[in-house]
Amino acid sequence: MSTASPSTTSTFLLSEWIRRAIDEVDLSALANSSVASNHPSQWPANVRNSMALCSEEYLISALRVARCLADQISEAEDNVAGRENNSDSDDEAPSLLPAPGINWADKVQVHLTSDGAANLNNDVNSKLLFSIEKADFLPDDMSYKGQSEDGMRRIYSLGLVFYEIFSGGERPVETEQPKGGGEESYADDTEAISQELSQETSEHNVDPLPPFDDGDGDSFDVANIFDDDDVIEDEYNLCNDILGDDFFNAENPRKRQTQSCHYKVYDVSVEPLKAKFLPGPLCDLVANMIDCADGNPSGDDSYHKMSEVRDDLQLMLDKPAIYLYDQDMGRAELQFGDRMFGRNAELSTIKDAYRRSASDGSEFVIISAASGYGKSLLAHEFGKHVLAGGGIFLSGKFDQLQQGKPFSALAFALDVYCGILLQGSGPSSKVAEIASKLRSSLGNEAYHLTKLIPNLASILKGPEILAINLNEDRGNAQKRLQYLLCQLLQAISSTFSAPVTLFLDDLQWADQASMEAVLQLLINLGPSSQDYKCFFFLGCCREGELDEGHPLWKLLCNADTLSIEFTNIKLDMMDEQTINTMVSETLCLSPRITRSLSSIINHKTNGSPLFVSRLMISLGKEGLLRPSLSRRRWEWDKDKIECREMPDDVAMFLKKSIRELPEA
């Protein structure tokens, strides 16, 4: 039932919220699918419940409830640890924690947002029960003076709550008290604890506590304290006050655990959760929490503190495709794609320079780093930002074998863009407008560009190409092409009323003519230009391959002379935490599980992103990193990976990988 009146209902006990939330899940989309042919209302109750439990609506809301509870306990535990570490603190207020037990689910309440509560009262069908504001424990049950060593048992206790949340209100059958025997069984447990305590007090020559007289002639023995759930949790603290801190000493740790833990521990199976087709990672999370039952982690993947539970739940909420839902391990292969890791600060620096160029004038950024450090990946990540904002992103790459060919990378970038225009990515009227502007401003000179940019010929649709003889008066010919390239970019920018970003990769192989063209673009498309929208240049260069005679070096010197702002970003190796994030997302496993593997990979790759990806692919081919169909996740042989010899650098590793390729 609700904890508030119907007119102000916004808080529910956990069991009621589960029941009502499951009833509210909309399964009508499945009615006409291959899953079922009739209406959900006609499905058997167990089928409907299973479908509702696996729905995104319920799963995400249930995860929010679970994360709130883990966060509340994690914060309280941090306060307990801080108070214990600071013995001189005057703050005597205890942190509020529920005592470890198997019935935590009865002590949880779920709060809806104000909008959700209002819609509930007005019978508005707006998925109000999924509008979670927070979930917490009832204040009356948050009175336990927590001990930091009870952390494992709290994880176990919360794991039982999660079992109930994700099972749709069912409790583990192992924890159900047998009919007619529940109270006797509990009394037997508490009597055993009392007898063990009496034995310990006798061994330490401490008189047992006398019967207590309340003044009305009634008395009770201290053993009867165990009949009251509210005071059992103080048994450990009471004895510690009487006998001193050495009573539960390190020589007999089992006794200490027994006294601190007043509930019976059950070996709970999560197979019923899997039978409901809940996501495997979610079932594993609950199982790993229950592994903490006896106060010590019993599995390799078990949790060690509540903050780890909270962090895993947050990952499932933030990236469900990676951390929540099952992966197809039958087709599993290591894929790295274009995901960027650990370069957010550098990305922000580029974005800031881009924004400045839109208002304060032309600006450019050069990214430098060793080979394999993710320069190009960072640049293309920035390109996504440009395109998302309605800008134009042109991308080209210099080739070591074409260093003698002027404008190769710049011409490639423009040719690709013209091809995109011809494929219909933009309105046909815009293509015609670009052609009209070029003919108007350049006349037949525009056709000289088609020698460098073949797709431009299809846009201009004019006479035969008028080739420029680069061997005769080469300097003048290149300057004329620089001017024509500037006019083309200006026509593109003004036609689409959009800023233009030019990205050129591998600048260590750039030619002099291309760098001079970039400088002219920065000058001619600057704020003084009549149709100025914004021109931004981004380049990548391999570190340690420039000298004072290099074309890029001259560009930097000329830009400084002309007061054109530029920023140099140097990428360092990735740290171990970033590599763990990369490994974690690639394997779709929690960072706490992949941490040991990431540590080995970090040591062997020296923080090079390319080296990390190539090493993992190599480990996959060797079977040291492999998908497990039974566990539905990746697994690895840690000892063999640690003993594996590695080349000293990326180049040697890539050469070794090429040699290992099968012959055609």
Side-chain angles (χ1 to χ4, degrees):
M1 60 180 293
S2 170
T3 62
S5 63
S7 61
T8 59
T9 298
S10 61
T11 302
F12 296 92
L13 291 175
L14 178 62
S15 57
E16 183 180 0
W17 176 82
I18 293 173
R19 176 182 58 79
R20 299 184 65 162
I22 290 175
D23 290 341
E24 192 171 309
V25 173
D26 183 10
L27 299 175
S28 58
L30 299 175
N32 298 322
S33 68
S34 58
V35 177
S37 58
N38 53 356
H39 194 271
S41 60
Q42 299 176 343
W43 298 351
N46 62 330
V47 173
R48 189 191 185 285
N49 282 353
S50 293
M51 300 297 289
L53 290 174
C54 296
S55 68
E56 183 175 349
E57 286 177 322
Y58 184 79
L59 274 178
I60 297 302
S61 299
L63 281 170
R64 290 195 185 106
V65 171
R67 196 258 302 151
C68 287
L69 297 176
D71 187 51
Q72 182 186 12
I73 296 176
S74 180
E75 285 189 16
E77 287 183 340
D78 288 344
N79 292 335
V80 169
R83 190 174 66 249
E84 291 179 350
N85 292 334
N86 186 11
S87 57
D88 297 332
S89 175
D90 295 332
D91 183 11
E92 297 296 335
S95 296
L96 299 180
L97 285 166
I102 64 172
N103 295 316
W104 273 19
D106 297 333
K107 309 173 183 180
V108 174
Q109 55 187 354
V110 179
H111 306 266
L112 305 181
T113 61
S114 56
D115 291 340
N119 291 334
L120 177 64
N121 297 329
N122 295 326
D123 294 328
V124 177
N125 185 15
S126 62
K127 303 303 177 188
L128 52 102
L129 284 165
F130 305 122
S131 303
I132 306 298
E133 179 179 1
K134 68 174 182 176
D136 55 16
F137 290 89
L138 294 170
D140 292 343
D141 292 292
M142 296 290 287
S143 58
Y144 177 59
K145 192 174 182 180
Q147 301 291 332
S148 59
E149 60 266 26
D150 287 333
M152 294 294 104
R153 298 187 186 91
R154 282 191 288 270
I155 293 175
Y156 168 78
S157 300
L158 190 60
L160 297 180
V161 177
F162 289 0
Y163 185 106
E164 186 164 340
I165 292 174
F166 297 114
S167 67
E170 299 177 7
R171 297 196 175 184
V173 294
E174 296 89 346
T175 65
E176 295 293 340
Q177 296 287 358
K179 289 185 179 180
E183 294 183 2
E184 288 79 358
S185 176
Y186 181 76
D188 291 342
D189 292 337
T190 55
E191 183 178 356
I193 295 174
S194 180
Q195 291 176 354
E196 188 170 6
L197 177 62
S198 299
Q199 180 181 353
E200 293 290 347
T201 56
S202 299
E203 293 175 0
H204 286 75
N205 298 319
V206 176
D207 292 334
L209 293 177
F212 175 76
D213 192 337
D214 61 3
D216 295 329
D218 297 327
S219 63
F220 61 89
D221 190 85
V222 68
N224 293 330
I225 291 177
F226 288 104
D227 293 334
D228 188 349
D229 287 348
D230 294 333
V231 296
I232 290 174
E233 62 201 39
D234 290 328
E235 172 69 12
Y236 168 76
N237 296 326
L238 176 62
C239 296
N240 222 23
D241 291 340
I242 297 174
L243 304 173
D245 293 337
D246 294 334
F247 175 62
F248 298 120
N249 53 54
E251 297 177 359
N252 200 357
R254 185 189 64 82
K255 302 287 187 193
R256 183 165 187 162
Q257 291 179 1
T258 303
Q259 305 302 339
S260 174
C261 178
H262 68 273
Y263 63 94
K264 185 174 179 61
V265 171
Y266 298 89
D267 187 11
V268 175
S269 170
V270 298
E271 291 303 318
L273 296 182
K274 296 179 180 179
K276 295 178 182 294
F277 301 102
L278 290 170
L282 191 59
C283 297
D284 290 341
L285 180 144
V286 176
N288 292 341
M289 296 177 70
I290 291 174
D291 282 341
C292 302
D294 62 354
N296 292 292
S298 59
D300 292 339
D301 298 339
S302 300
Y303 290 99
H304 294 81
K305 51 186 178 180
M306 191 66 73
S307 59
E308 294 178 339
V309 178
R310 176 198 60 198
D311 294 344
D312 280 0
L313 291 169
Q314 191 62 55
L315 285 173
M316 290 181 175
L317 285 168
D318 294 341
K319 300 178 179 180
I322 296 176
Y323 293 110
L324 174 59
Y325 296 114
D326 290 313
Q327 308 298 317
D328 186 359
M329 301 311 293
R331 300 180 179 178
E333 60 181 35
L334 294 171
Q335 296 180 344
F336 294 90
D338 58 352
R339 286 177 291 176
M340 185 188 73
F341 299 95
R343 305 300 188 194
N344 292 329
E346 293 85 352
L347 180 61
S348 296
T349 299
I350 302 174
K351 290 179 179 179
D352 291 341
Y354 178 69
R355 281 191 290 268
R356 289 193 300 269
S357 69
S359 57
D360 301 335
S362 297
E363 187 169 346
F364 67 97
V365 173
I366 302 297
I367 305 172
S368 61
S371 178
Y373 273 42
K375 303 182 295 294
S376 304
L377 197 60
L378 172 59
H380 285 289
E381 189 70 22
F382 168 70
K384 297 176 184 178
H385 169 75
V386 172
L387 295 173
I392 298 171
F393 188 74
L394 309 177
S395 176
K397 180 183 178 71
F398 288 102
D399 192 315
Q400 186 177 13
L401 301 179
Q402 295 187 357
Q403 284 182 278
K405 185 178 180 180
F407 310 113
S408 59
L410 181 55
F412 176 83
L414 287 166
D415 191 53
V416 170
Y417 182 72
C418 289
I420 292 174
L421 292 178
L422 291 170
Q423 290 173 3
S425 297
S428 58
S429 60
K430 295 293 186 182
V431 176
E433 184 178 347
I434 291 175
S436 176
K437 286 184 176 181
L438 287 175
R439 293 194 196 98
S440 175
S441 61
L442 302 177
N444 286 341
E445 291 283 314
Y447 294 95
H448 290 306
L449 288 173
T450 59
K451 179 71 174 179
L452 292 173
I453 310 170
N455 282 321
L456 184 59
S458 300
I459 292 178
L460 293 175
K461 297 178 181 178
E464 302 240 345
I465 298 173
L466 303 175
I468 296 178
N469 190 345
L470 295 179
N471 293 322
E472 293 185 9
D473 198 5
R474 186 181 185 90
N476 289 335
Q478 290 184 358
K479 288 181 180 179
R480 192 183 344 168
L481 283 175
Q482 290 173 9
Y483 170 74
L484 296 176
L485 289 170
C486 289
Q487 292 298 309
L488 174 57
L489 280 172
Q490 189 166 346
I492 293 173
S493 179
S494 61
T495 298
F496 291 96
S497 298
V500 175
T501 296
L502 173 63
F503 165 57
L504 298 180
D505 203 356
D506 284 333
L507 290 177
Q508 69 272 8
W509 295 321
D511 59 278
Q512 183 67 37
S514 295
M515 291 297 93
E516 290 178 356
V518 169
L519 181 61
Q520 288 301 313
L521 288 169
L522 290 167
I523 296 173
N524 295 342
L525 297 185
S528 59
S529 173
Q530 183 178 359
D531 297 323
Y532 175 69
K533 299 299 178 184
C534 170
F535 176 75
F536 184 73
F537 174 63
L538 176 64
C540 288
C541 178
R542 190 177 297 172
E543 187 180 25
E545 298 198 13
L546 298 184
D547 55 33
E548 295 184 1
H550 194 279
L552 177 57
W553 183 272
K554 294 179 180 179
L555 169 65
L556 299 178
C557 294
N558 289 330
D560 187 53
T561 302
L562 296 171
S563 299
I564 298 176
E565 296 293 330
F566 68 90
T567 302
N568 183 32
I569 297 177
K570 182 180 181 300
L571 299 185
D572 295 320
M573 67 181 70
M574 296 195 305
D575 58 30
E576 187 169 329
Q577 181 177 350
T578 301
I579 289 180
N580 190 36
T581 300
M582 181 178 180
V583 174
S584 167
E585 293 196 12
T586 300
L587 302 182
C588 300
L589 289 172
S590 165
R592 68 183 175 85
I593 296 177
T594 60
R595 190 169 291 117
S596 60
L597 173 63
S598 300
S599 178
I600 299 173
I601 291 177
N602 175 62
H603 177 72
K604 292 183 175 295
T605 61
N606 201 27
S608 166
L610 178 61
F611 210 167
V612 171
S613 62
R614 298 305 179 191
L615 172 59
M616 292 182 67
I617 291 174
S618 179
L619 294 176
K621 292 179 179 179
E622 297 173 18
L624 300 181
L625 178 61
R626 56 195 174 272
S628 170
L629 296 180
S630 60
R631 301 179 68 187
R632 299 189 62 80
R633 51 165 279 188
W634 288 89
E635 60 184 16
W636 51 88
D637 193 321
K638 178 181 174 182
D639 293 335
K640 290 184 179 180
I641 294 175
E642 199 162 14
C643 295
R644 189 183 190 276
E645 294 185 359
M646 298 293 297
D648 293 332
D649 57 34
V650 176
M652 293 178 62
F653 182 76
L654 293 179
K655 289 179 181 179
K656 180 177 181 293
S657 300
I658 293 174
R659 287 197 299 267
E660 292 175 351
L661 291 175
E663 295 183 2

